[in-house]
Amino acid sequence: MLELESLCKRLSLFTIADLNLRLNQGEYFVLLGPSGVGKTVLIEMVAGFMAPDAGRILCEGQDITTSPPEARDFAVVYQDYALFPHLTVAANIAYGLRARGVKSKQSVGRVRALAEKLNIAALLNRHTSALSGGEQQRVALARALAPRPRMLLLDEPLAAVDVGLRARLRHELRRIHQHTGTTFLHVTHDPDDALYLADRIGVMLGGRIRQIATPEELFRAPSDADVAEFLGMRNIMTVDSVRQGVCRAGGVEIHAVFADQSISHMWVKPEEILLSRQPFDSSARNQFRCTVEEWENSGPLLAVRVSSGGLTLTALVTYESFNDLGIDAGTELYCTFKSSAVHCF
Amino acid sequence: MSNVLGEARSYRISWFALIFAVLGSCVLLLIVAPLLALVLSSSFGELSQAAADAEVTQSIRLTLAAALAATLICTLAGVPLSYVLARKKFYGKTALLAIIDLPIIIPHSAAGIALLTVIGRRSLLGSVTGGLMGSAAGIAVAMAFVSVPFLINAARAGFLAVPERLEKAARSLGASSWRVFFTISLPMAWRDILSGMVLMWARGISEFGAVIIIAYHPMTTPVMVFQRFNDYGLAHARSVAVLLIIICVAIFVVVRFLARRPTREAQNA
């Protein structure tokens, strides 16, 4: 549906280099990456507000690299929703229809139908400044969808709302996407948004798309340690060798459960790691001596960094355990975790 | 104890407030005192006499009309310029902004002389039109020259206050640049543009230096105030001046009232 071919853009803070991307008709594609990586610039280029230095943008096989924004038929939804403050909700939603020459009488029906679908029919005569965050998002979506664009471009539409509302708006977004069947290109820095919403995710780091995969694929098999870390995986270990079901990482033998011999990385959640003064018998296959390097507060818990050989791991412990174990820099402890807690990719 | 401390603190703050209030009052007094004294010193009879004087009313009408014509024409040409100056980045923009402010800083009599070289009888334009000296059109040009920066700067500030994202969202919805300008940018900036127009009009009405060089006749009101003061003395000049001030203040108040920003409550009523 949309194809980006070797897109390049050099800006003062970062460079997008040789970016290739292909979106399928009707899919929900999430471009995931930390802030300042060029996601918004990419949206600006796709929308037509910024010209790429090199490369082509194609839509349904047509080269639109130099088309003006109004000719592309992609509606943008911004983080702050960018509703028109001097117009009513109804006039906001009708804007795109009127711009395409639909007479105001004919647009009324479409506006009402959309408003009903999005549960904002009661707001149609209000001004936008009176709306809550959730209502604003729905109005912005209705406005973007009204002229039936070929694609919706969503620039961090969930970043400005608080956690409780966020989950609800996410749900709404997915429902609306399923309902309309329009192609969505959504950029965000939040892996949770991506996981929940996307049919496919593109992970963008350092001006490049590092991996494109379905959410399941991505979280099961991130392409490298950077992607894994960005997705929230911790204690990422590089596998040096695999022998008879045992991996070596940083000189330490790690037992793990894996089917594929070609794994390159492993990771363990910090809350899965036990620290103890003495070794103990248990079903956990991984237990080895380690030395405390440092610790820091991590909300209601403490994050303790321990090292063993060339391996450094972080474990989460309670304040009580921390005191009982008498943890200090240099303390010798035992580190224990189950082989099933080790994730491999 | 806390009471004593509290008093000591408010005592220090009140010195601060007092000194600032005194300094501020000096400035206000500078503006208000001469105006108030002028209005109070002129009698109603004097004013009605001036208002009945055909020469005076003729001159007031000319002044208001010439300044209005200058304002309307400059609005038509200047609002697009203001938009470009608010939105676009280009080489030489800082220089352009400085050029627009030039009429504010150069002496207005010098501005009048400069204008003569363009619209005077011996200028290129003058050789075609016979020059604009001594005409209402010439007066309007002089007024426009000295007052147009107020319009441009106010309109530019108005466009700057419109978030660019709104325009982008509108274009992505299929609106052309023209449509976005007329349905988003202009409706959101009109209050600032209007207040710029009022400033420009008021500045044009009050212009003396540049106008007197272009046209002693027909006589604008500021020129008439000067001429009556020279020829007949203070009393004759005063009534004309007061009449002009009253008209200007009335216009100012009415337009300010029309362009006031709606409160949140009013918007959602």
Side-chain angles (χ1 to χ4, degrees), chain A residues 194-207:
Chain A
L195 186 57
Y196 185 88
L197 290 165
D199 293 325
R200 287 194 304 150
I201 300 173
V203 181
M204 194 166 172
L205 294 171

Side-chain angles (χ1 to χ4, degrees), chain A residues 116-132:
Chain A
E116 264 155 25
K117 202 185 277 179
L118 291 167
N119 290 326
I120 47 174
L123 308 175
L124 284 175
N125 294 318
R126 293 235 217 132
H127 265 273
T128 57
S129 56
L131 304 179
S132 72

Side-chain angles (χ1 to χ4, degrees), chain A residues 44 70 80 86 95 100, chain B residues 165 168 171-173 183:
Chain A
E44 296 270 289
E70 62 268 27
D80 61 0
H86 60 298
Y95 191 88
R100 282 167 168 75
Chain B
R165 264 197 310 282
K168 285 182 174 175
R171 288 198 69 189
S172 85
L173 291 168
T183 59

Side-chain angles (χ1 to χ4, degrees), chain A residues 44 49 68-70 74-76 78 80 82-86 95-96 98-100 127 129-130 143-144 147, chain B residues 163-177 179-181 183-185 187-188 264 267-268:
Chain A
E44 296 270 289
F49 296 118
E70 62 268 27
F74 303 156
V76 185
Y78 285 106
D80 61 0
L83 299 178
F84 307 134
H86 60 298
Y95 191 88
R98 310 278 289 120
R100 282 167 168 75
H127 265 273
S129 56
R143 183 180 72 181
Chain B
E164 206 172 345
R165 264 197 310 282
L166 297 187
E167 296 176 356
K168 285 182 174 175
R171 288 198 69 189
S172 85
L173 291 168
S176 63
S177 304
R179 194 179 179 91
V180 171
F181 180 78
T183 59
I184 306 291
S185 325
M188 287 189 70
R264 247 166 188 270
Q267 256 188 19
N268 298 317

Side-chain angles (χ1 to χ4, degrees), chain B residues 188-233:
Chain B
M188 287 189 70
W190 75 268
R191 282 193 182 81
D192 292 279
I193 295 169
L194 187 65
S195 90
M197 288 171 74
V198 173
L199 270 178
M200 182 180 172
W201 190 21
R203 189 65 200 78
I205 289 168
S206 60
E207 181 53 26
F208 172 73
V211 167
I212 199 169
I213 289 184
I214 300 294
Y216 193 77
H217 287 287
M219 211 173 262
T220 67
T221 318
V223 174
M224 180 173 278
V225 170
F226 173 74
Q227 176 254 333
R228 295 222 166 166
F229 177 64
N230 263 354
D231 296 356
Y232 311 113

